[in-house]
């Protein structure tokens, strides 16, 4: 199973990076979301999959899944939510003031908006 | 006391700004006591030092690195300390009359001057090479500030930068040299290195260390070809030129060469490099000085030349180290005595000459020799000072310059019989160069005094009729130049007091002031030296009368020569080259920067993976593959892959959401219930957020990009993907460390009283991370709030357009679905109850503060969708930003609470209590911390949603 996940992680990274490199801000934001999924699955896969029960003590069995990547991922999910929201508002604001959603079409002086 | 002597100028400098409250008093009066008191202190040490003692103080500073604040006062240091404080006192006095007190920056001037004084004392008193280096660079900084004192002038800035670049370059070389010496000997103490000197000569690093140290000395002392900074440093106010750029700082290089002599003397390279550099500089400087038309430029080249003279004497004096016979040691060692004596004389006559030029400049408004003349009658006192100074410089009797010039000739004559290096008759070249340079020196000395003061006054060239300067301005140079006369008549007193102990310190190797004593007197009989002097005067007079006919000598100085062109060209090449190279890749396109980052990631991670020997890819016991998992992965990848091809915003967002839900399912399968819960709620809230936001975003355009653009992206993305797959496989196959996860599994219940290990890690083991995490969230929500509410300037038309747009796109976000509205009242209650359950269950079962908070936020969002934002805002009157703050505070206070029990920050405690109704209950401070997390996260999410929605 792990090798399938490894390939899936690679594919998620590839799609995420491809989207991040495009010009439209919406694609960039969605790209970061997919990239984050890739990171999460990577962390989870690294520790090995389905080795023991969920890390809730007393829920059965002697072995439990590795809790450490799960704690990391949990933190990451919540942070990612905050970051995505910020990106969205940033993109929305930029579009409102600059009149374009193309990242390279903006410059700091805001000439784009005036022209 | 030595430490305090160095510290006083710095401390005093800090007090100078206070003088602003007394604008009527010239700040110079406040500065003057410093050099005077320090001078008195050093004079009081003189009897002790001249009897051969040394004062040493050591304060440990960084003993682990071998760097201690160790100061040593021997004869050579004392001589410099006296020069620094003595000339310093004269210069401060002089500057009070030279620099007006009205200028605002006069305080800065004295701060820089005091800073220099302290730094220079540090250079000459430090025994530790690292400390010496630090002070050495500090003198460069002070010099930079003083040259750029009139920083509005372009030439001042140019000169300051040039001196800084050249001397700091040399300083760095010297730093490297010091470290090589440390590598060889294991100590930074100059005295300890000198004690080991005998065994170093054959070390392979000996020569590199010598050359690097000499680079520092030669740049500082303006030796050819590094002299080019000194003429440009003349942009500084004249008192600074007199002090730093003739009497003290430029002599730091000489100080260092002499100080290092006990280490390096006796090496053939040392003898040749120091002697020849000195002689070339002596000759070149004196030749260039004749061609100057600006008095200060003339003095600058004269200083270069005289520094070269002393440098060559130090080099030639090292010949003594090749011999053991006392007679021969004394015979060649005379050069060192001459160097010390001439150093004193030069400080005296050059200092006073600079002051004279300052006076002339002050009274006539020009320093141009072509406009000056005939000042003898108008300024008789100044003329006499200039006469004595120049004659001393030219080496004429009865001034002290004559005595040291005679010793210089003696040393040059003696060196002919130096046979240790088998140079044979080539040694004759040295006295010949020395003699020719002396002729030039004579000529420019005469030019200085007679072109300025002789002849007729050129009234038509001057703006005002000059008259004699005030007594205050004259006092300093009169006193200083009279020393040239006094020293000439009591040379032996000076010798016993200062020169012998300084010479002994330079020669090192157990010499004492008595053993190196040289008697200095006027009449030696008709020696070759005297004939050389007579020859200098005769040929010099002839040349002075005729030099205007030689084009080589009379060409006006254009301010540019080959070396300066090289410096300017090199500098602009570096600047432009640097800018062009940067412009080449810093294109301003975010996409390009991202591509660099990704390419670097591929190269660094991929390269490491492929090159490391111990990495195996993949593992042996893969978990079994089941049908559902494969389906989930395929759906996830298909949804993700559809995003780039989506033609509308809604589709793109929904595809991303689908991928997210598939990830949720995978979490569930992979035994991570907490993650699955969190991911599911986050996906839901995110979609709500997207839908709130996306109508304001432009329509997704089909990417009409060139194929190269797409292919570049695809290749970079593919590279990252492959690298990540490899990393995942490598991480499975190789585990160089024992995982720490077992610790958490084993100790979770024992130490933290929780069964849900993930939650325990978050709130207990790694509580600090979580605390910062909710802070990041708080910052993000404030950022969103700021972006929406603050600082966005919109013109009235824009605003009107926006209003119209939002009206047209009207998205009231009030559902008219009766079923939804009815159901949501019930459902919301259920969801909130469930979230509370999750919150309390979190320590032992899936759940916890994060999940509960997200679920609460989802419930509130649902209400908002069914009843409208405004209704919700009216019904639930909560300030969500305040809620975030309260949550954060609870979390921090819980953490800080551990201080009360002398435990580290965020130590959690738990115990079991028997409570009525509930029975045995566990109470843990972690729950309190989780409450903080809960409140903060609810506050953040609701704040984000309300802020975005409150926009219109």
């Amino acid at each position: 199973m792990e090798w399938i996940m490894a390939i899936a992680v690679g594919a998620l990274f590839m799609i995420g990076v491809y989207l991040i490199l495009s010009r439209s801000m919406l694609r960039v934001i969605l790209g970061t979301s997919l990239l984050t999924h890739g990171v999460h699955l990577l962390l989870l896969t690294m520790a090995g999959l389905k080795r023991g029960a969920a890390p809730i003590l007393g829920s059965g069995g002697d072995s439990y899944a590795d809790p450490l990547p799960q704690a990391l991922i949990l933190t990451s999910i919540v942070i990612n939510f905050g970051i995505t929201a910020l990106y969205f508002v940033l993109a929305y604001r930029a579009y409102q003031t600059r009149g374009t959603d193309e990242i390279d079409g903006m410059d700091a002086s805001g000439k784009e908006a005036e022209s | 006391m030595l430490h305090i002597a160095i510290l006083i100028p710095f401390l005093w400098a800090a007090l100078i700004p206070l003088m602003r409250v007394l604008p009527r008093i010239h700040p110079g009066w406040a500065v003057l006591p410093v050099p005077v008191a320090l001078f008195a202190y050093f004079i009081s040490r003189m009897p002790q030092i001249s009897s051969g003692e040394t004062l040493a103080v050591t304060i440990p500073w960084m003993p682990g690195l071998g760097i201690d604040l160790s100061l040593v006062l021997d004869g050579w240091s004392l001589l410099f300390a006296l020069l620094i404080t003595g000339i310093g006192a004269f210069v401060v006095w002089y500057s009070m009359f030279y620099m007006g007190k009205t200028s605002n920056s006069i305080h800065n001037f004295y701060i820089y001057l005091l800073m220099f004084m302290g730094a220079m004392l540090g250079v000459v008193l430090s025994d530790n090479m690292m400390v010496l280096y630090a002070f050495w660079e500090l003198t460069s900084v002070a010099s930079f500030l003083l040259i750029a004192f009139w920083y509005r002038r372009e030439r001042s800035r140019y000169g300051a930068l040039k001196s800084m670049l050249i001397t700091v370059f040399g300083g760095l070389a010297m730093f490297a040299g010091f470290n090589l010496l440390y590598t060889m000997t294991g100590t930074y103490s100059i005295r300890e290195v000198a004690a080991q000197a005998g065994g170093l000569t054959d070390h392979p690093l000996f020569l590199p260390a010598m050359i690097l140290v000499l680079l520092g000395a030669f740049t500082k002392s303006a030796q050819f070809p590094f002299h080019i900074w000194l003429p440009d440093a003349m942009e500084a106010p004249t008192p600074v030129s007199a002090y730093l750029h003739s009497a003290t700082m430029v002599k730091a290089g000489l100080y260092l060469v002499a100080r290092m002599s006990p280490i390096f003397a006796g090496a053939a390279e040392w003898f040749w490099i120091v002697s020849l550099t000195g002689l070339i500089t002596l000759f070149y400087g004196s030749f260039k000085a004749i061609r100057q038309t600006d008095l200060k430029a003339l003095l600058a080249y004269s200083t270069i030349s005289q520094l070269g003279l002393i440098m060559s004497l130090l080099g030639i004096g090292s010949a003594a180290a090749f011999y053991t016979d006392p007679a021969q040691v004394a015979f060649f060692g005379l050069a060192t005595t001459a160097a010390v004596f001439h150093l004193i004389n030069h400080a005296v006559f050059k200092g006073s000459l600079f002051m004279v030029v300052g006076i002339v400049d002050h009274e006539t408004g020009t320093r141009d020799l072509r406009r000056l003349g005939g000042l003898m009658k108008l300024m008789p006192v100044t003329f006499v000072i200039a006469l004595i100074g120049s004659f001393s410089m030219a080496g004429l009797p009865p001034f002290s310059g004559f005595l040291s010039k005679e010793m210089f000739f003696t040393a040059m004559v003696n060196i002919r019989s130096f046979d240790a290096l088998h140079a044979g008759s080539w040694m004759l070249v040295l006295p010949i160069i020395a003699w020719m340079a002396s002729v030039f020196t004579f000529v420019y000395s005469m030019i200085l005094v007679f072109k300025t003061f002789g002849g007729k006054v050129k009234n038509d060239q001057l703006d005002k009729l000059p008259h004699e300067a005030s007594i205050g301005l004259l006092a300093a140079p009169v006193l200083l130049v009279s020393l040239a006369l006094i020293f000439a008549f009591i040379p032996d007193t000076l010798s016993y007091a200062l020169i012998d102990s300084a010479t002994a310190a330079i020669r090192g190797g157990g010499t004492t002031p008595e053993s190196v004593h040289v008697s200095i007197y006027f009449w030696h009989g008709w020696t070759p030296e005297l004939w050389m002097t007579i020859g200098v005067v005769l040929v010099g007079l002839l040349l002075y009368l005729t030099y205007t006919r030689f084009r080589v000598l009379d060409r006006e100085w254009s301010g540019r020569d080959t070396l300066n062109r090289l410096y300017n060209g090199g500098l602009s090449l570096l600047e432009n080259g640097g800018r062009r190279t940067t412009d080449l890749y810093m294109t301003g396109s975010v996409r390009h920067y991202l591509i660099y980052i990704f390419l670097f990631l591929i190269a660094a991670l991929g390269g490491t993976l492929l090159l490391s020997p111990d990495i195996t890819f993949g593992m042996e016991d893969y978990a079994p593959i089941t049908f559902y998992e494969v389906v989930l992965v395929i759906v996830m990848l298909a949804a993700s892959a559809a995003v780039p091809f989506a033609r509308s915003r809604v589709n793109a967002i929904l595809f991303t959401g689908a991928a997210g839900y598939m990830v949720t399912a995978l979490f569930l399968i992979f035994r991570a219930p907490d993650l699955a819960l969190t991911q599911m709620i986050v996906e839901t809230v995110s979609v709500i957020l997207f839908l709130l936001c996306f109508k304001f975003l432009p329509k997704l355009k089909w990417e009409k990009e060139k194929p190269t653009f797409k292919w570049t992206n695809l290749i970079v993305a593919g590279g990252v993907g492959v690298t990540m797959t490899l990393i995942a496989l490598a991480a499975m196959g190789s585990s160089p460390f024992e995982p720490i996860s077992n610790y958490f599994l084993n100790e979770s219940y024992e130490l933290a009283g929780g069964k849900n290990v993930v939650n325990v890690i978050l709130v207990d083991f790694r509580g600090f991370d979580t605390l910062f995490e909710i802070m990041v969230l708080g910052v993000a929500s404030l950022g969103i709030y700021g972006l929406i509410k603050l600082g966005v300037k919109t013109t009235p038309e824009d605003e009107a357009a926006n209003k119209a747009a939002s009206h047209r796109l009207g998205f009231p976000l009030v559902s008219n679905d009766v079923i939804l509205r009815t159901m949501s009242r019930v459902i919301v209650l259920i969801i909130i109850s469930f979230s509370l359950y999750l919150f309390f269950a979190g320590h032992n079962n899936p759940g916890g503060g994060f999940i509960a908070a997200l679920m609460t936020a989802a419930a509130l969002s649902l209400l908002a969708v069914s009843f409208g934002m405004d209704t919700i805002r009216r019904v639930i009157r909560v300030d969500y930003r305040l809620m975030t703050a309260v949550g954060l505070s609870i979390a921090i206070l819980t953490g800080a609470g551990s201080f009360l029990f002398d435990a580290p920050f965020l130590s959690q405690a738990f115990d079991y209590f028997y409570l009525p109704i509930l029975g045995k209950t566990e109470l843990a401070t972690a729950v309190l911390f989780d409450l903080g997390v809960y409140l903060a996260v609810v506050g953040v999410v609701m704040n984000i949603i309300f802020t975005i929605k409150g926009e219109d």
Side-chain angles (χ1 to χ4, degrees):
Chain A
M1 188 63 218
E2 281 86 347
W3 63 270
I4 296 182
M5 289 311 293
I7 293 168
V9 163
L12 279 176
F13 265 92
M14 183 175 162
I15 299 164
V17 169
Y18 182 81
L19 285 168
I20 286 174
L21 287 178
S22 62
R23 291 190 204 274
S24 148
M25 276 188 299
L26 184 62
R27 284 181 210 271
V28 172
I29 296 166
L30 296 178
T32 56
S33 276
L34 291 177
L35 198 73
T36 318
H37 290 322
V39 173
H40 294 164
L41 290 178
L42 174 65
L43 284 173
L44 203 63
T45 312
M46 273 183 181
L49 296 170
K50 296 193 281 184
R51 282 156 214 274
I56 312 268
L57 298 178
S59 65
D62 293 334
S63 64
Y64 297 99
D66 194 338
L68 196 60
Q70 298 195 12
L72 281 175
I73 295 168
L74 190 65
T75 310
S76 167
I77 292 172
V78 181
I79 293 239
N80 180 50
F81 169 72
I83 299 296
T84 309
L86 185 71
Y87 279 170
F88 252 103
V89 175
L90 201 60
Y92 154 61
R93 245 327 176 202
Y95 174 59
Q96 210 178 35
T97 49
R98 298 274 184 262
T100 175
D101 82 324
E102 293 205 354
I103 288 170
D104 284 350
M106 300 177 198
D107 68 44
S109 59
K111 280 172 196 152
E112 200 78 28
E114 283 158 25
S115 59
Chain B
M1 182 58 207
L2 290 176
H3 296 87
I4 300 167
I6 295 176
L7 209 57
I8 284 175
F10 289 109
L11 292 179
W12 211 263
L15 298 177
I16 292 300
L18 300 179
M19 282 300 287
R20 284 182 203 277
V21 299
L22 299 169
R24 284 160 168 274
I25 299 172
H26 198 287
W29 290 108
V31 178
L32 193 57
V34 176
V36 171
L38 289 173
F39 183 77
Y41 166 71
F42 285 116
I43 279 282
S44 73
R45 298 295 105 188
M46 204 156 76
Q48 220 178 335
I49 303 297
S50 37
S51 68
E53 286 180 46
T54 54
L55 287 178
V57 198
T58 299
I59 295 180
W61 185 14
M62 293 181 263
L65 296 173
I67 299 173
D68 290 315
L69 210 57
S70 55
L71 305 179
V72 171
L73 185 70
D74 60 5
W76 186 228
S77 305
L78 179 69
L79 168 62
F80 266 85
L82 288 174
L83 278 182
I84 295 159
T85 51
I87 307 271
F90 282 124
V91 163
V92 171
W93 174 277
Y94 177 80
S95 66
M96 279 193 282
F97 299 93
Y98 187 83
M99 317 269 296
K101 66 182 170 200
T102 45
S103 158
N104 268 334
S105 45
I106 188 77
H107 295 90
N108 296 353
F109 176 79
Y110 285 111
I111 290 171
Y112 303 157
L113 210 64
L114 283 170
M115 181 172 129
F116 167 75
M117 201 180 286
M120 190 70 200
L121 281 174
V123 168
V124 300
L125 292 177
S126 301
D127 178 55
N128 190 293
M129 290 188 279
M130 285 301 110
V131 178
L132 188 151
Y133 168 74
F135 282 123
W136 180 280
E137 297 292 38
L138 204 55
T139 63
S140 289
V141 172
S143 161
F144 172 83
L145 292 168
L146 284 166
I147 296 171
F149 181 65
W150 287 309
Y151 56 85
R152 289 186 205 287
R153 299 205 301 222
E154 203 260 330
R155 293 295 306 172
S156 293
R157 296 198 302 272
Y158 172 79
L161 187 65
K162 194 173 184 179
S163 75
M164 183 84 166
L165 285 176
I166 293 178
T167 54
V168 167
F169 156 74
L172 281 174
M174 185 183 85
F175 178 73
F178 284 169
N179 281 305
L180 289 187
L181 283 175
Y182 179 77
T183 316
M184 284 188 273
T185 61
T187 174
Y188 278 122
S189 162
I190 298 174
R191 289 196 300 177
E192 286 172 28
V193 175
Q196 304 181 26
L200 297 178
T201 332
D202 296 327
H203 199 286
L205 293 177
F206 183 72
L207 189 60
M210 177 199 295
I211 290 170
L212 288 169
V213 168
L214 281 179
L215 268 178
F218 287 169
T219 48
K220 197 78 165 179
S221 277
Q223 298 295 295
F224 184 87
F226 307 111
H227 65 275
I228 50 170
W229 67 268
L230 193 57
D232 285 305
M234 292 299 132
E235 294 299 325
T238 302
V240 173
S241 309
Y243 190 32
L244 272 71
H245 303 127
S246 78
T248 54
M249 189 189 81
V250 286
K251 293 204 169 81
L254 300 173
Y255 170 82
L256 186 76
V257 167
R259 183 53 81 204
M260 291 287 160
S261 280
I263 301 171
F264 293 115
E269 294 88 354
W270 179 262
F271 174 83
W272 286 118
I273 296 175
V274 177
S275 309
L276 288 182
T277 308
L279 273 177
I280 292 169
T281 311
L282 163 65
F283 183 83
Y284 181 81
S286 60
F287 171 73
K288 289 279 281 191
I290 296 177
R291 289 166 47 177
Q292 307 306 312
T293 55
D294 179 359
L295 279 175
K296 271 186 100 172
L298 188 152
L299 284 182
Y301 278 104
S302 152
T303 304
I304 292 169
S305 158
Q306 298 281 319
L307 292 170
L309 187 155
I310 302 170
M311 190 65 84
S312 70
L313 280 173
L314 289 173
I316 283 170
S318 78
F322 291 90
Y323 297 94
T324 47
D325 177 24
Q328 282 190 300
V329 169
F331 183 69
F332 291 113
L334 176 78
T336 312
T337 312
V340 176
F341 190 29
H342 196 73
L343 186 124
I344 301 172
N345 289 333
H346 177 252
V348 167
F349 65 67
K350 191 54 64 65
S352 50
L353 284 177
F354 263 110
M355 292 184 190
V356 163
V357 168
I359 291 171
V360 168
D361 193 7
H362 203 260
E363 299 302 325
T364 64
T366 180
R367 303 190 307 246
D368 194 333
L369 276 173
R370 289 164 298 188
R371 295 168 63 190
L372 290 168
L375 297 179
M376 197 191 299
K377 288 175 197 134
L378 299 167
M379 308 166 74
V381 183
T382 317
F383 166 65
V384 173
I385 303 168
L387 192 73
I388 298 175
S390 300
F391 277 29
S392 189
M393 179 156 74
L396 298 176
F399 306 108
S400 58
F402 170 73
L403 294 172
S404 51
K405 182 62 78 72
E406 289 288 283
M407 289 174 79
F408 167 62
F409 281 153
T410 311
M412 287 298 165
V413 171
N414 288 355
I415 202 65
R416 280 180 310 155
S417 47
F418 178 50
D419 50 7
L421 296 176
H422 312 292
S425 53
W426 281 103
M427 282 295 176
L428 192 61
V429 176
L430 304 186
I432 290 175
I433 299 177
W435 185 80
M436 284 167 66
S438 297
V439 172
F440 289 138
T441 306
F442 180 87
V443 173
Y444 74 66
S445 301
M446 294 306 116
I447 292 175
L448 173 68
V449 60
F450 290 112
K451 294 277 167 189
T452 314
F453 294 94
K456 285 181 185 159
V457 183
K458 295 168 187 162
N459 272 329
D460 51 327
Q461 299 271 9
L462 298 175
D463 305 330
K464 55 181 178 183
L465 190 67
H467 52 79
E468 188 57 278
S470 67
I471 295 173
L473 204 53
L474 285 170
V478 165
L479 284 175
L480 196 55
V481 87
S482 57
L483 290 177
L485 212 53
I486 294 169
F487 287 161
F489 289 104
I490 53 157
D492 258 12
T493 318
L494 186 68
S495 190
Y496 281 118
L498 261 180
I499 299 176
D500 289 344
S501 53
T503 312
I506 298 171
R507 296 263 284 280
T511 49
T512 60
E514 289 79 36
S515 71
V516 297
H517 176 67
V518 177
S519 282
I520 307 169
Y521 42 91
F522 271 102
W523 182 251
H524 293 260
W526 295 99
T527 52
E529 297 90 292
L530 192 59
W531 288 113
M532 283 168 85
T533 304
I534 292 169
V536 165
V537 174
L538 290 178
V539 178
L541 272 179
L542 200 67
L543 201 59
Y544 171 65
L545 295 173
T546 57
Y547 80 97
T548 44
R549 299 186 195 163
F550 298 105
R551 280 200 62 209
V552 185
L553 289 176
D554 197 33
R555 197 168 46 193
E556 278 172 22
W557 185 56
S558 61
R560 288 182 188 280
D561 58 20
T562 320
L563 284 168
N564 270 314
R565 266 204 295 275
L566 208 65
Y567 165 82
N568 291 337
L571 201 62
S572 63
L573 193 74
L574 277 177
E575 279 178 359
N576 292 334
R579 192 177 312 124
R580 268 188 217 129
T581 318
T582 311
D583 285 351
L584 215 59
Y585 63 92
M586 298 304 281
T587 52
S589 157
V590 181
R591 178 172 163 263
H592 288 169
Y593 300 161
L594 283 170
I595 288 178
Y596 304 148
I597 293 172
F598 286 129
L599 287 179
F600 181 79
L601 180 119
I602 296 168
L605 286 182
T608 313
L609 279 180
L610 294 177
L611 294 178
S612 304
D614 298 332
I615 288 182
T616 43
F617 292 100
M619 60 205 326
E620 286 175 2
D621 52 335
Y622 288 113
I625 304 168
T626 64
F627 175 70
Y628 293 111
E629 291 159 7
V630 176
V631 170
L632 283 174
V633 169
I634 289 173
V635 173
M636 175 184 76
L637 290 183
S640 307
V643 177
F645 300 100
R647 283 171 186 262
S648 75
R649 294 164 296 179
V650 183
N651 282 354
I653 289 167
L654 289 182
F655 282 136
T656 315
Y661 283 116
M662 291 308 118
V663 172
T664 308
L666 284 171
F667 282 152
L668 206 58
I669 290 174
F670 296 142
R671 319 278 196 265
D674 288 279
L675 297 189
L677 268 171
T678 317
Q679 182 76 52
M680 188 175 73
I681 305 162
V682 162
E683 258 346 294
T684 312
V685 179
S686 291
V687 170
I688 295 175
L689 200 68
F690 287 173
L691 293 175
L692 286 177
C693 222
F694 96 114
K695 75 180 176 90
F696 300 111
L697 287 175
K699 289 220 161 59
L700 209 54
K701 283 177 283 191
W702 183 245
E703 280 201 318
K704 296 184 285 284
E705 302 294 353
K706 289 177 192 152
T708 43
F709 181 94
K710 283 190 172 181
W711 279 106
T712 316
N713 291 359
L714 198 64
I715 289 166
V716 173
V720 175
V722 170
T723 310
M724 283 303 157
T725 303
L726 288 178
I727 285 182
L729 290 171
M732 293 166 203
S734 16
S735 181
F737 312 107
E738 188 63 26
I740 56 171
S741 309
N742 285 332
Y743 169 80
F744 295 119
L745 285 171
N746 295 335
E747 307 296 337
S748 172
Y749 194 69
E750 294 295 317
L751 292 179
K755 287 182 186 156
N756 181 355
V757 187
V758 176
N759 182 265
V760 168
I761 291 176
L762 285 178
V763 298
D764 195 328
F765 289 121
R766 307 289 306 164
F768 224 154
D769 293 354
T770 310
L771 184 63
F772 280 120
E773 182 201 347
I774 54 177
M775 279 184 190
V776 169
L777 279 180
V779 171
S781 79
L782 284 182
I784 290 168
Y785 183 78
L787 273 172
I788 299 277
K789 303 270 183 194
L790 310 171
V792 180
K793 280 184 217 149
T794 41
T795 58
E797 297 119 64
D798 279 350
E799 220 159 306
N802 277 341
K803 265 189 186 155
S806 62
H807 185 73
R808 191 176 61 246
L809 290 167
F811 184 55
L813 207 78
V814 178
S815 171
N816 49 10
D817 189 331
V818 182
I819 302 172
L820 177 66
R821 293 180 73 160
T822 320
M823 293 298 285
S824 62
R825 291 177 210 205
V826 186
I827 292 170
V828 163
L829 278 180
I830 297 172
I831 298 177
I832 289 184
S833 315
F834 185 57
S835 79
L836 290 178
Y837 162 75
L838 282 176
F839 174 77
F840 286 110
H843 216 44
N844 291 316
N845 288 302
F850 274 129
I851 300 170
L854 288 168
M855 199 160 265
T856 310
L860 291 174
S861 307
L862 178 63
L863 276 184
V865 171
S866 352
F867 296 99
M869 287 287 171
D870 290 335
T871 321
I872 300 304
R873 226 180 300 209
R874 259 183 279 117
V875 174
I876 309 171
R877 291 175 184 276
V878 178
D879 183 340
Y880 291 102
R881 269 171 292 137
L882 194 67
M883 193 166 174
T884 311
V886 169
L888 277 173
S889 310
I890 290 178
I892 292 170
L893 285 176
T894 315
S898 11
F899 290 139
L900 294 178
F901 304 96
D902 268 345
F905 188 63
L906 275 174
S907 305
Q908 309 285 16
F910 66 94
D911 210 339
Y912 301 92
F913 299 93
Y914 284 94
L915 296 178
I917 306 170
L918 291 170
K920 185 185 168 188
T921 310
E922 183 202 352
L923 287 180
T925 52
V927 175
L928 211 56
F929 181 75
D930 225 8
L931 178 68
V933 174
Y934 173 84
L935 289 176
V937 174
V938 172
V940 165
V941 177
M942 292 321 289
N943 186 25
I944 290 172
I945 288 175
F946 276 127
T947 309
I948 291 175
K949 202 46 221 164
E951 164 62 345
D952 43 24

